[in-house]
Amino acid sequence: MHKTVQNLINIKNEIKTKLIDLNLNYHPNIIAVSKTFSIQNINPLIEYGHIHFGENKVQEAVNKWSEIKEKNNQIILHMVGKLQTNKVKYAVKLFDYIHSLDNLKLAKKISDEQKKYEKKPKLFIQINLGNEEQKSGITLNKFEEFYNYCKKIELNIVGLMCLPPENQDSNFYFSELQKITKEFQFDDTSMGMSSDYINAIKFRSTFLRIGSKIFGART
C-alpha cells in the first residue's frame, strides 16, 4: 500500500476514534492538499477512491488537474490558497470549491466569471478572527455587510473558513467560527489542518484541509 493511502487511512481511523470519544455523529470531509506534490503521489489516493483534493495555487492546479478532472468527474477540487483576481477565470472553470473569498473585488470578479461559464463554485468566506494584518480574511465587524453583498451578486456561499493565529489555542477560534456558522445557518465550515484537525472536529468542521500529514513534509 502506498504511504499516502496508509497515512489517509490512519487519519480516518484517528478521526473515527475521536468522534466516538466526543459522542459526535457526523462525517467530516478530508481535503488532501497536494500543493508541490506530483501526480505520482496523488494517483494512489485517486485509485483508493479518495475524491476531495486541494491546491494552493491556480496555475499548479491547472497543470496538474485539468486532464484528470476531464476523465474523472468524481474528483472534487478545492482552492484553499489565496486567490488573486487575475486568476479567477481559471479558478471558476476548474475548482468546485473556493475556500478563500476575502474581499469585495474578488467577490465581484467571481460573480462576473461564473455568469460566463454558467458554473457556480461553492464558496467559503474567509474570516480573519485574529485580526492579523498579515493574514487574508474579512474582519468580523465587516462580515455581515460583506455576506449580504455576496448574496446580492448571487454567489453560492456555503460556509466559513478560518486560519487560527499560529502558536495560539485553535479551540478558541474554531469555537468562534462555529458560533457564527450557527447564527447565519451555514451548512459547512472549513477549519482544521494537519496540526489541528482533531481540535476542529470538536466544533463539527465539515472540511479538514490536510496536507503534510498525508503527503509528508514539503521540500
Side-chain angles (χ1 to χ4, degrees):
M1 184 181 287
H2 196 276
K3 67 175 187 200
T4 55
V5 175
Q6 188 59 63
N7 290 343
L8 178 65
I9 290 168
N10 293 345
I11 290 165
K12 284 184 169 185
N13 288 337
E14 188 188 10
I15 289 169
K16 191 175 174 183
T17 301
K18 190 66 182 176
L19 288 171
I20 291 166
D21 289 347
L22 294 167
N23 197 25
L24 281 176
N25 182 23
Y26 91 106
H27 301 284
N29 299 286
I30 296 170
I31 302 169
V33 181
S34 52
K35 65 177 179 183
T36 76
F37 285 95
S38 70
I39 207 67
Q40 281 74 23
N41 295 91
I42 297 163
N43 274 332
L45 290 168
I46 296 173
E47 286 158 19
Y48 170 69
H50 192 69
I51 60 169
H52 289 280
F53 292 90
E55 291 289 342
N56 284 60
K57 293 186 175 171
V58 173
Q59 197 52 56
E60 183 183 345
V62 169
N63 296 341
K64 218 150 80 177
W65 289 99
S66 296
E67 197 177 325
I68 294 169
K69 287 263 290 170
E70 276 181 29
K71 289 178 185 169
N72 186 343
N73 60 11
Q74 299 294 308
I75 297 289
I76 299 170
L77 199 58
H78 299 254
M79 174 63 186
V80 297
K82 183 164 178 61
L83 179 57
Q84 309 290 346
T85 49
N86 64 341
K87 297 285 197 299
V88 167
K89 61 183 175 183
Y90 308 108
V92 167
K93 278 167 75 175
L94 184 65
F95 288 97
D96 303 285
Y97 285 78
I98 295 168
H99 290 242
S100 47
L101 176 57
D102 64 353
N103 64 74
L104 292 165
K105 189 179 171 190
L106 182 59
K108 179 71 171 69
K109 186 69 176 168
I110 293 171
S111 175
D112 292 344
E113 291 298 327
Q114 69 181 18
K115 285 172 193 156
K116 290 180 195 172
Y117 298 110
E118 295 184 352
K119 182 196 171 197
K120 277 192 172 187
K122 293 174 178 173
L123 305 169
F124 288 90
I125 294 174
Q126 181 174 351
I127 300 188
N128 186 345
L129 288 174
N131 293 319
E132 297 172 278
E133 286 181 16
Q134 79 282 12
K135 202 172 271 183
S136 303
I138 297 289
T139 52
L140 207 45
N141 61 345
K142 293 182 179 168
F143 163 68
E144 190 166 0
E145 183 187 353
F146 180 68
Y147 175 48
N148 288 332
Y149 173 73
C150 290
K151 285 195 291 186
K152 190 173 139 191
I153 60 173
E154 299 182 356
L155 295 183
N156 185 14
I157 308 294
V158 296
L160 305 176
M161 185 272 249
C162 77
L163 289 163
E166 284 181 38
N167 306 317
Q168 288 193 35
D169 181 12
S170 59
N171 285 294
F172 170 77
Y173 296 95
F174 293 158
S175 171
E176 288 299 295
L177 201 73
Q178 186 187 39
K179 284 177 198 165
I180 309 161
T181 297
K182 284 179 177 172
E183 184 185 342
F184 287 86
Q185 299 180 321
F186 291 116
D187 291 329
D188 289 309
T189 44
S190 170
M191 54 187 187
M193 298 166 73
S194 287
S195 59
D196 57 14
Y197 62 89
I198 289 297
N199 285 351
I201 62 175
K202 293 182 207 168
F203 302 99
R204 300 185 76 95
S205 175
T206 54
F207 286 93
L208 310 170
R209 311 180 304 272
I210 302 177
S212 57
K213 200 88 187 271
I214 294 173
F215 292 100
R218 294 186 173 87
T219 50

